[in-house]
Amino acid sequence: MRGLAKVRRSHGAMEFVDRSRPEPAPDEALVEVDYAGLCGSDAGIYEFESAFERMELPTVIGHEYAGRVVETGDAVSKFSVGDRVVERPIRGCGDCYQCEIGESNVCQDAVITGVDHDGAYEQFVSVPERALHPVPDSVPQKHAAVVEPTSIGARAVIENSRVTAGDRVLVEGPGPIGLLTAQIARAQGATVVVSGVGQDATYRLPLAEDLGFETLNIAEDDVAARRESLTDGVGYDVVFDTTGHPSGLPSAVDEVRKGGQIVLVGQTGETTMEYSPLVRSEIDLQCSYASMYDDFERSLRLIDRGAVDCETFVDDRFSLLDADEAFEAFVGGETCKPVFDVSELYD
């Protein structure tokens, strides 16, 4: 079978490689992939950011996907051939302190599908039973392919933020995680504003508006005046920084109200700022990383009832047969959530 792999430690360098059909271990199921998404970490691999130096190349990438079980190992009891599934792609070791206390999303020895071993941009993947999550019949397979990123937003909002009905929320960054976070915060009863930069004006901010959100273009709008108008001069109750940019946290400090909360979701790298204003305003600074079983379960329900609008959100214009087009469009802000039909790779 063919798989789309990162083959060199440089920008781009995505090529098809030949792989044998995996043989599932006793505790694994063999999954045939139907649809797979492109996310920010996949784009980071494409650009080969430093966080991915640990990868052993070539590695087939992709970790957001939906598929069907086609074979099971002898020890598998929860899944059967024909079941529709998604994978929870950050696999905890099960033995470290964090795993023992139920925090496997921050496992000390976690491995990630599509980074530490071959991922979903190929026909078949073999997955431990404990990493699979069932998909209800009412959720279309193409929509199920975005359950994993939805689960990141669900954890950020439902587990790690204090968003409640009536809150005024700002989501910085109209990328995939930002727009999913915004939809989930709205489902919690908040009034949500989404901000972006100049390059977001072409596709991502208009997409946010199509999803029903007020938007801010910080390259053009008077942000202070809009904050004054939208929050009665108080500031936002909660700000989610999903930008992955060093400017995200300092700007969040300017936007959040005194006594409010900032939730860091994007991985910003190094940033320099004065922290005394956070202390003097008693701002709650919370981090949120990855997701767990409950977050996947909630995400499937949110998608199922339409609180997360996958029909509008998913962009199915791109093909794995010309993946560079999708990756360059993603990096340039010309798309938000490409989802590939992986059956195009089937022999």
Side-chain angles (χ1 to χ4, degrees), residues 192-254:
V192 182
V193 179
V194 176
S195 68
V197 295
Q199 78 167 15
D200 297 319
T202 301
Y203 183 93
R204 292 182 172 184
L205 286 175
L207 176 59
E209 292 169 359
D210 289 344
L211 289 165
F213 296 108
E214 180 109 19
T215 62
L216 286 168
N217 183 339
I218 64 172
E220 297 180 359
D221 295 335
D222 185 334
V223 177
R226 294 289 298 280
R227 179 178 67 249
E228 182 78 17
S229 171
L230 292 167
T231 71
D232 298 322
V234 174
Y236 297 94
D237 298 293
V238 181
V239 178
F240 293 90
D241 174 18
T242 72
T243 62
H245 191 274
S247 65
L249 177 57
S251 62
V253 175
D254 291 336

Side-chain angles (χ1 to χ4, degrees), residues 250 253 272-280:
V253 175
T272 301
M273 57 174 285
E274 185 180 355
Y275 287 87
S276 294
L278 277 78
V279 178
R280 290 196 296 266

